[in-house]
Amino acid sequence: MSFSALRLSKHLQQALQDNGYTHPYPIQEQIIPAIRDGRDVLGIAQTGSGKTASYVLPVLMDVMESDLLLNRHIHTLVLAPTRELAQQVNAVFQQLGHKLPGRIKSLAVFGGVSINPQMINLQGVSILIATPGRLIELIESKAIHLSEAKMLVIDEADKMLNLGFKEEVTQILDLLPKKRQNLLFSATLNEEVTKIQSLLLKEPHLVKVEQKEDNIELIKQTAYHVTPETKGPFLRHLIKSNEMKQVLIFTSSTVAADKLSEKLERNGIDAKATHSKKSHMTRTSALRDFKTRKLNVLVATDLISRGIDIEFLPFVVNYELPRSPKDYIHRIGRTGRAENPGEAITLVCDEDLHHFKVIQKKMKKWIKLTYTQDLHF
Ligand code: AMP
């Protein structure tokens, strides 16, 4: 299926293309039409499934098609349990919505920072992403009104209830108009979430996305024996001789990731590093460029790799081994796809040999080790 089958505007389809979204993820195929039909939705899905865009896209469509609202009245409220999620969701609204006609303004508000700048920024906002406590403060100061809201999204409902926001959520529900569309997302469907869903949703369209197991059978795995001195030159040789246009390289530390990407750059290979010490903006733009193939090489650490969600990668390189076999499988799992199995390449020095054996044993798969000392590179 393509995004054009999902009744999205041309501008939105262009925004998707610009950001490297080539086709909809399963959750998006199932949820977007239901939301466009005006139905309530219950989405049981984890981060990584594409759940955010599954509501961001139809919300943007609805805002574009709606009449202008009074100032300080919002069209859509997204409730998020944490500041991080609120900012992440707003980043997706801005990524996909910033070039749309009519300038749709979204804003994330959360506690722990001064309220005044948020009050000023609320001017002209039609999509508000908020943590419950700060939202109530803003409503009490009459900085924002919910009385004309058309859509309510509660994201990560299980976490919201775990963090003890039940009372605040109930208070907010009372301030919203009775007639509205409700979208509820949760990683799990526990008793508390079931209670809130029966209170909130009318005949919801239920979509459940199972976490995909990494299928390592589809991946071509190779390993090369190198020395600490030949590792760098051999990696550059691999990238150049295989004409790699999109390769994700793993290092074990943020310092190593920076060093390696700088070295590659100095050798004429287009590379950037992404890790926990980089700003959110830098990480987002590196990932966007990598997904759209403007950037050939992304160097990452294991921690950050969990947020790198690319359906398929032709090449993954383990420049340094991960600590656990689980991380190894998670890393290489980015490349396996039936119609086009990618390749996972591991560089192994003498001191890694034992650990690499442990990884293979756990994986129950043996990888041929090719020695490189006789190769010319
Ligand atoms: P989420 O589960 O909403 O946190 O999304 C996980 C990641 O998948 C984010 O980095 C999105 O940018 C990315 N993503 C979502 N939908 C698509 C898509 N259709 N094509 C490519 N990337 C996507």
Side-chain angles (χ1 to χ4, degrees):
M1 186 186 267
S2 73
F3 277 111
S4 57
L6 292 175
R7 289 177 275 159
L8 301 172
S9 74
K10 286 226 156 49
H11 288 99
L12 214 39
Q13 289 182 45
Q14 186 61 48
L16 286 162
Q17 199 181 328
D18 292 347
N19 286 287
Y21 291 51
T22 50
H23 61 275
Y25 285 176
I27 190 169
Q28 295 158 0
E29 283 182 9
Q30 295 177 58
I31 285 187
I32 293 172
I35 302 180
R36 295 293 291 138
D37 287 341
R39 292 191 62 182
D40 281 1
V41 164
L42 174 60
I44 305 298
Q46 302 193 340
T47 297
S49 58
K51 67 175 168 69
T52 318
S54 79
Y55 64 81
V56 164
L57 292 163
V59 164
L60 287 169
M61 283 299 294
D62 212 274
V63 175
M64 279 193 284
E65 290 164 0
S66 295
D67 297 331
L68 275 183
L69 299 168
L70 292 172
N71 195 20
R72 298 198 176 271
H73 284 72
I74 52 165
H75 175 284
T76 294
L77 171 66
V78 182
L79 282 180
T82 60
R83 166 196 184 140
E84 287 72 28
L85 183 66
Q87 286 177 312
Q88 224 170 287
V89 169
N90 190 34
V92 181
F93 272 111
Q94 303 206 331
Q95 183 188 46
L96 297 174
H98 84 284
K99 277 194 194 152
L100 298 181
R103 272 185 46 84
I104 298 171
K105 188 169 167 190
S106 66
L107 181 73
V109 293
F110 36 79
V113 293
S114 164
I115 197 167
N116 289 341
Q118 294 181 352
M119 283 185 172
I120 295 164
N121 273 336
L122 275 165
Q123 188 85 12
V125 164
S126 45
I127 300 164
L128 183 66
I129 304 103
T131 54
R134 177 50 56 96
L135 177 65
I136 290 172
E137 286 178 86
L138 288 164
I139 294 170
E140 282 169 355
S141 333
K142 302 220 179 320
I144 197 78
H145 305 277
L146 304 184
S147 57
E148 287 188 48
K150 309 275 182 283
M151 296 172 105
L152 167 71
V153 184
I154 302 187
D155 202 346
E156 294 193 0
D158 47 356
K159 193 162 183 183
M160 186 90 79
L161 299 168
N162 278 344
L163 291 175
F165 282 128
K166 193 170 171 195
E167 235 174 74
E168 283 91 339
V169 172
T170 319
Q171 198 181 335
I172 293 163
L173 293 183
D174 285 342
L175 296 170
L176 286 158
K178 294 270 166 301
K179 191 171 171 307
R180 58 168 198 264
Q181 193 176 3
N182 299 292
L183 317 172
L184 186 67
F185 290 85
S186 181
T188 51
L189 189 56
N190 57 27
E191 207 178 305
E192 288 293 299
V193 176
T194 309
K195 266 191 223 156
I196 200 152
Q197 80 106 355
S198 57
L199 185 84
L200 195 70
L201 306 177
K202 281 187 219 92
E203 296 167 19
H205 177 69
L206 169 69
V207 173
K208 203 169 172 184
V209 178
E210 303 292 344
Q211 201 70 339
K212 170 173 90 183
E213 289 288 318
D214 292 322
N215 186 355
I216 57 166
E217 293 310 317
L218 298 171
I219 304 161
K220 179 177 172 199
Q221 294 193 59
T222 46
Y224 292 95
H225 181 270
V226 289
T227 65
E229 293 73 36
T230 60
K231 205 176 198 183
F234 185 67
L235 173 69
R236 299 196 290 276
H237 162 75
L238 272 180
I239 295 172
K240 288 182 178 162
S241 62
N242 286 290
E243 296 179 8
M244 295 181 179
K245 294 276 179 286
Q246 203 181 29
V247 52
L248 180 62
I249 303 180
F250 285 100
T251 59
S252 54
S253 71
T254 59
V255 176
D258 282 336
K259 270 198 187 154
L260 180 59
S261 70
E262 284 160 20
K263 191 89 192 251
L264 289 169
E265 280 275 298
R266 277 203 300 277
N267 282 278
I269 295 169
D270 189 20
K272 280 199 181 112
T274 182
H275 52 65
S276 54
K277 301 231 166 76
K278 300 266 185 200
S279 73
H280 182 73
M281 273 245 298
T282 312
R283 275 161 28 195
T284 312
S285 85
L287 185 58
R288 188 191 49 232
D289 290 350
F290 185 59
K291 278 183 175 180
T292 52
R293 296 182 173 229
K294 269 190 223 140
L295 175 70
N296 299 136
V297 179
L298 190 64
V299 186
T301 57
D302 285 297
L303 202 66
I304 209 73
S305 85
R306 303 203 177 273
I308 301 176
D309 244 285
I310 298 182
E311 269 239 313
F312 171 74
L313 273 172
F315 295 102
V316 167
V317 174
N318 295 306
Y319 189 74
E320 288 168 335
L321 284 180
R323 226 166 293 162
S324 77
K326 217 170 144 198
D327 280 336
Y328 177 88
I329 292 173
H330 187 76
R331 284 180 179 186
I332 68 166
R334 310 314 177 87
T335 75
R337 199 165 66 172
E339 68 270 32
N340 193 4
E343 186 168 354
I345 302 165
T346 302
L347 304 187
V348 191
C349 294
D350 278 339
E351 71 247 36
D352 306 317
L353 284 170
H354 175 69
H355 187 44
F356 192 46
K357 268 202 187 120
V358 174
I359 290 175
Q360 294 173 75
K361 198 168 167 200
K362 278 266 180 229
M363 193 167 51
K364 298 194 185 79
K365 200 171 166 99
W366 297 102
I367 303 162
K368 183 171 168 273
L369 186 65
T370 304
Y371 284 79
T372 58
Q373 71 263 40
D374 297 331
L375 299 179
H376 297 287
F377 53 89

